[in-house]
């Protein structure tokens, strides 16, 4: 929870700001939303990544309880793993994965939203005066589909990120690319690079669906929603 709140706030706020800036580059065309989403995701990850590392360490303590809590985990990592560098272990694959993940998620959501509001408006759109909005089921459906597609596009880098996060400087010295190669050589694509992807779909699809739905409803309530 300590990571999700700032991550979501930074990501959606940054997305709106990047989208405004990139509108000044008409040559991007429809890629504006992909680029805005990628930059927003990268921005959010940069500010919240240490919390993600600590969360991973706390969640995957199995044989021994090394970390007693968030503050204790931060202190141990800073002391034992080269300071701040330890808190950003696995940052490179995370950023590389965030480019397709966030970009595809926002682009797909906006594209599906456009289809729902122009071609399926009788099913998924409500009107309030001159403004039109997605219904809650419409937002949930668009969000779930965007989360599914985004996860497929970036999952191998998510596997690499998790492996690097859970290792220490003493047990893992390989970089992002070498770790990716090692996973592929050891377990292949299905049982290595995409291990656990089906369970991740169960987690990511409702998470992204709810995130985009709340995002859309808040824009509507605050009067900042615009037609696609």
């Amino acid at each position: 929870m300590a990571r999700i709140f700032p991550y979501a706030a930074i990501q959606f706020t940054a997305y709106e700001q990047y989208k405004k800036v990139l509108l000044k580059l008409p040559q991007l065309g429809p890629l504006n939303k992909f680029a805005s989403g990628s930059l927003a995701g990268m921005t959010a990850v940069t500010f919240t990544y240490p919390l993600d590392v600590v969360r991973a360490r706390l969640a995957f303590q199995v044989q021994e309880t090394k970390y007693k809590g968030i503050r204790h985990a931060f202190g141990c990592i800073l002391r034992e793993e080269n300071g701040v560098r330890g808190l950003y272990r696995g940052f490179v694959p995370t950023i590389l994965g965030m480019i397709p993940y966030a970009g595809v998620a926002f682009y797909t959501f906006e594209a599906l939203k456009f289809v729902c509001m122009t071609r399926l408006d009788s099913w998924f759109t409500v009107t309030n005066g001159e403004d039109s909005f997605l219904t809650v089921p419409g937002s949930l459906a668009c969000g779930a589909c965007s989360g599914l597609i985004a996860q497929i596009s970036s999952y191998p880098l998510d596997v690499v990120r998790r492996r690097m996060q859970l290792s220490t400087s003493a047990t893992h010295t390989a970089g992002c690319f070498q770790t990716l190669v090692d996973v592929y050589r050891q377990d292949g694509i299905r049982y290595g690079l995409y291990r656990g992807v089906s369970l991740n779909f169960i987690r990511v699809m409702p998470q992204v669906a709810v995130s985009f739905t709340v995002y859309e409803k808040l824009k509507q309530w605050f009067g900042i929603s615009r037609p696609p």
Side-chain angles (χ1 to χ4, degrees):
M1 296 295 285
R3 181 187 71 90
I4 289 297
F5 281 116
Y7 177 85
I10 293 171
Q11 183 182 44
F12 285 113
T13 301
Y15 174 70
E16 292 296 332
Q17 299 306 312
Y18 283 128
K19 192 165 62 172
K20 291 178 183 178
V21 172
L22 293 180
L23 280 175
K24 300 176 183 178
L25 302 174
Q27 60 269 32
L28 284 176
L31 291 179
N32 172 289
K33 296 178 177 64
F34 178 89
S36 299
S38 295
L39 290 170
M42 293 166 67
T43 301
V45 163
T46 300
F47 282 102
T48 62
Y49 191 76
L51 289 168
D52 193 39
V53 171
V54 169
R55 178 186 66 87
R57 296 288 182 89
L58 290 171
F60 285 89
Q61 294 184 104
V62 180
Q63 297 180 348
E64 60 176 340
T65 305
K66 180 179 179 180
Y67 307 114
K68 299 176 182 178
I70 296 176
R71 292 179 61 183
H72 184 250
F74 267 110
C76 289
I77 295 172
L78 287 170
R79 287 193 306 271
E80 301 170 7
E81 300 180 33
N82 300 321
V84 176
R85 187 175 180 179
L87 292 173
Y88 279 86
R89 182 173 301 281
F91 181 69
V92 173
T94 303
I95 283 292
L96 293 178
M98 188 54 63
I99 294 172
Y101 178 78
V104 169
F106 277 98
Y107 178 83
T108 304
F109 179 81
E110 295 283 6
L112 292 175
K113 176 183 174 182
F114 178 81
V115 172
C116 287
M117 296 184 68
T118 56
R119 300 182 182 181
L120 303 173
D121 53 307
S122 60
W123 290 0
F124 296 114
T125 302
V126 293
T127 303
N128 183 10
E130 297 181 355
D131 294 326
S132 296
F133 307 98
L134 274 181
T135 61
V136 171
S139 295
L140 289 171
C142 292
C145 290
S146 66
L148 173 66
I149 297 171
Q151 189 66 197
I152 293 173
S153 70
S154 63
Y155 192 76
L157 287 167
D158 194 48
V159 171
V160 172
R161 170 181 68 91
R162 189 66 66 202
R163 178 168 293 199
M164 294 181 71
Q165 281 182 341
L166 296 177
S167 66
T168 65
S169 56
T171 61
H172 187 91
T173 58
C176 170
F177 180 74
Q178 187 58 51
T179 303
L180 185 68
V181 172
D182 289 344
V183 172
Y184 173 73
R185 286 177 176 173
Q186 292 169 12
D187 301 304
I189 296 177
R190 181 178 179 182
Y191 297 108
L193 296 178
Y194 279 90
R195 180 188 295 273
V197 69
S198 56
L199 288 175
N200 220 46
F201 288 156
I202 298 174
R203 177 184 67 88
V204 168
M205 290 176 66
Q207 174 186 322
V208 177
V210 171
S211 294
F212 273 114
T213 300
V214 173
Y215 165 63
E216 286 294 307
K217 294 305 290 184
L218 287 175
K219 288 203 301 179
Q220 178 183 343
W221 291 341
F222 287 108
I224 58 175
S225 186
R226 294 288 182 272

